[in-house]
mmCIF file of all heavy atoms in Angstrom:
data_model
loop_
_atom_site.group_PDB
_atom_site.id
_atom_site.type_symbol
_atom_site.label_atom_id
_atom_site.label_comp_id
_atom_site.label_asym_id
_atom_site.label_seq_id
_atom_site.Cartn_x
_atom_site.Cartn_y
_atom_site.Cartn_z
ATOM 1 N N ASP A 30 36.453 112.117 146.000
ATOM 2 C CA ASP A 30 37.449 111.579 145.076
ATOM 3 C C ASP A 30 36.899 110.306 144.427
ATOM 4 O O ASP A 30 36.298 109.456 145.089
ATOM 5 C CB ASP A 30 38.752 111.267 145.821
ATOM 6 C CG ASP A 30 39.919 111.083 144.877
ATOM 7 O OD1 ASP A 30 39.937 110.053 144.146
ATOM 8 O OD2 ASP A 30 40.803 111.949 144.836
ATOM 9 N N ILE A 31 37.111 110.175 143.125
ATOM 10 C CA ILE A 31 36.554 109.038 142.371
ATOM 11 C C ILE A 31 37.254 107.722 142.737
ATOM 12 O O ILE A 31 36.683 106.640 142.537
ATOM 13 C CB ILE A 31 36.666 109.319 140.855
ATOM 14 C CG1 ILE A 31 35.645 108.484 140.083
ATOM 15 C CG2 ILE A 31 38.082 109.088 140.335
ATOM 16 C CD1 ILE A 31 35.493 108.924 138.623
ATOM 17 N N ASN A 32 38.450 107.829 143.264
ATOM 18 C CA ASN A 32 39.240 106.629 143.594
ATOM 19 C C ASN A 32 39.764 106.762 145.031
ATOM 20 O O ASN A 32 40.952 107.004 145.247
ATOM 21 C CB ASN A 32 40.393 106.489 142.593
ATOM 22 C CG ASN A 32 41.175 105.215 142.800
ATOM 23 O OD1 ASN A 32 40.661 104.239 143.352
ATOM 24 N ND2 ASN A 32 42.435 105.212 142.380
ATOM 25 N N PRO A 33 38.861 106.628 146.010
ATOM 26 C CA PRO A 33 39.227 106.990 147.378
ATOM 27 C C PRO A 33 40.349 106.134 147.953
ATOM 28 O O PRO A 33 40.364 104.917 147.789
ATOM 29 C CB PRO A 33 37.922 106.801 148.159
ATOM 30 C CG PRO A 33 37.064 105.929 147.310
ATOM 31 C CD PRO A 33 37.465 106.178 145.891
ATOM 32 N N ALA A 34 41.271 106.819 148.623
ATOM 33 C CA ALA A 34 42.395 106.139 149.268
ATOM 34 C C ALA A 34 42.165 105.982 150.763
ATOM 35 O O ALA A 34 43.039 105.507 151.482
ATOM 36 C CB ALA A 34 43.682 106.930 149.013
ATOM 37 N N ALA A 35 41.001 106.377 151.222
ATOM 38 C CA ALA A 35 40.631 106.260 152.634
ATOM 39 C C ALA A 35 39.106 106.291 152.692
ATOM 40 O O ALA A 35 38.464 106.727 151.723
ATOM 41 C CB ALA A 35 41.236 107.411 153.437
ATOM 42 N N PRO A 36 38.510 105.845 153.816
ATOM 43 C CA PRO A 36 37.046 105.859 153.910
ATOM 44 C C PRO A 36 36.449 107.245 153.663
ATOM 45 O O PRO A 36 35.357 107.364 153.103
ATOM 46 C CB PRO A 36 36.781 105.373 155.344
ATOM 47 C CG PRO A 36 37.959 104.514 155.660
ATOM 48 C CD PRO A 36 39.130 105.175 154.985
ATOM 49 N N VAL A 37 37.132 108.283 154.096
ATOM 50 C CA VAL A 37 36.739 109.663 153.779
ATOM 51 C C VAL A 37 37.845 110.247 152.904
ATOM 52 O O VAL A 37 38.991 110.371 153.347
ATOM 53 C CB VAL A 37 36.571 110.516 155.064
ATOM 54 C CG1 VAL A 37 36.235 111.968 154.695
ATOM 55 C CG2 VAL A 37 35.509 109.920 155.977
ATOM 56 N N HIS A 38 37.526 110.541 151.654
ATOM 57 C CA HIS A 38 38.532 111.123 150.750
ATOM 58 C C HIS A 38 37.815 112.054 149.779
ATOM 59 O O HIS A 38 37.137 111.622 148.863
ATOM 60 C CB HIS A 38 39.274 110.032 149.974
ATOM 61 C CG HIS A 38 40.401 110.555 149.123
ATOM 62 N ND1 HIS A 38 41.156 109.731 148.304
ATOM 63 C CD2 HIS A 38 40.908 111.812 148.949
ATOM 64 C CE1 HIS A 38 42.068 110.450 147.684
ATOM 65 N NE2 HIS A 38 41.933 111.719 148.042
ATOM 66 N N PHE A 39 37.976 113.342 150.035
ATOM 67 C CA PHE A 39 37.363 114.330 149.141
ATOM 68 C C PHE A 39 38.397 115.367 148.725
ATOM 69 O O PHE A 39 39.509 115.431 149.285
ATOM 70 C CB PHE A 39 36.131 114.975 149.800
ATOM 71 C CG PHE A 39 36.417 115.724 151.076
ATOM 72 C CD1 PHE A 39 36.862 117.048 151.054
ATOM 73 C CD2 PHE A 39 36.238 115.103 152.304
ATOM 74 C CE1 PHE A 39 37.123 117.734 152.228
ATOM 75 C CE2 PHE A 39 36.499 115.791 153.493
ATOM 76 C CZ PHE A 39 36.936 117.108 153.444
ATOM 77 N N HIS A 102 43.477 117.587 149.026
ATOM 78 C CA HIS A 102 42.882 116.302 149.407
ATOM 79 C C HIS A 102 42.615 116.334 150.900
ATOM 80 O O HIS A 102 43.434 116.837 151.671
ATOM 81 C CB HIS A 102 43.861 115.140 149.213
ATOM 82 C CG HIS A 102 44.254 114.798 147.826
ATOM 83 N ND1 HIS A 102 43.745 113.710 147.153
ATOM 84 C CD2 HIS A 102 45.151 115.364 146.988
ATOM 85 C CE1 HIS A 102 44.318 113.613 145.957
ATOM 86 N NE2 HIS A 102 45.176 114.609 145.835
ATOM 87 N N PHE A 103 41.519 115.717 151.327
ATOM 88 C CA PHE A 103 41.409 115.335 152.733
ATOM 89 C C PHE A 103 41.192 113.836 152.777
ATOM 90 O O PHE A 103 40.309 113.306 152.073
ATOM 91 C CB PHE A 103 40.272 116.036 153.481
ATOM 92 C CG PHE A 103 40.203 115.540 154.906
ATOM 93 C CD1 PHE A 103 41.035 116.055 155.876
ATOM 94 C CD2 PHE A 103 39.355 114.490 155.254
ATOM 95 C CE1 PHE A 103 41.023 115.549 157.180
ATOM 96 C CE2 PHE A 103 39.336 113.970 156.550
ATOM 97 C CZ PHE A 103 40.173 114.512 157.514
ATOM 98 N N LEU A 104 42.009 113.157 153.586
ATOM 99 C CA LEU A 104 41.869 111.716 153.799
ATOM 100 C C LEU A 104 41.682 111.460 155.285
ATOM 101 O O LEU A 104 42.442 111.988 156.108
ATOM 102 C CB LEU A 104 43.105 110.964 153.313
ATOM 103 C CG LEU A 104 43.431 111.103 151.828
ATOM 104 C CD1 LEU A 104 44.572 112.097 151.632
ATOM 105 C CD2 LEU A 104 43.817 109.773 151.226
ATOM 106 N N GLY A 105 40.663 110.681 155.603
ATOM 107 C CA GLY A 105 40.409 110.358 157.001
ATOM 108 C C GLY A 105 39.622 109.060 157.104
ATOM 109 O O GLY A 105 39.311 108.414 156.109
ATOM 110 N N ARG A 107 40.700 106.376 158.676
ATOM 111 C CA ARG A 107 41.599 105.264 159.017
ATOM 112 C C ARG A 107 42.941 105.874 159.407
ATOM 113 O O ARG A 107 43.222 107.044 159.088
ATOM 114 C CB ARG A 107 41.772 104.288 157.848
ATOM 115 C CG ARG A 107 42.540 104.811 156.648
ATOM 116 C CD ARG A 107 42.827 103.681 155.660
ATOM 117 N NE ARG A 107 43.415 104.159 154.418
ATOM 118 C CZ ARG A 107 44.725 104.327 154.225
ATOM 119 N NH1 ARG A 107 45.585 104.121 155.197
ATOM 120 N NH2 ARG A 107 45.173 104.735 153.048
ATOM 121 N N LEU A 109 46.705 106.592 158.880
ATOM 122 C CA LEU A 109 47.498 106.739 157.655
ATOM 123 C C LEU A 109 48.985 106.639 157.984
ATOM 124 O O LEU A 109 49.448 107.194 158.976
ATOM 125 C CB LEU A 109 47.202 108.096 157.004
ATOM 126 C CG LEU A 109 45.738 108.301 156.594
ATOM 127 C CD1 LEU A 109 45.430 109.778 156.426
ATOM 128 C CD2 LEU A 109 45.432 107.537 155.319
#
Side-chain angles (χ1 to χ4, degrees):
D30 196 290
I31 202 168
N32 185 24
V37 177
H38 185 183
F39 61 84
H102 293 257
F103 178 82
L104 299 102
R107 69 171 173 88
L109 299 160

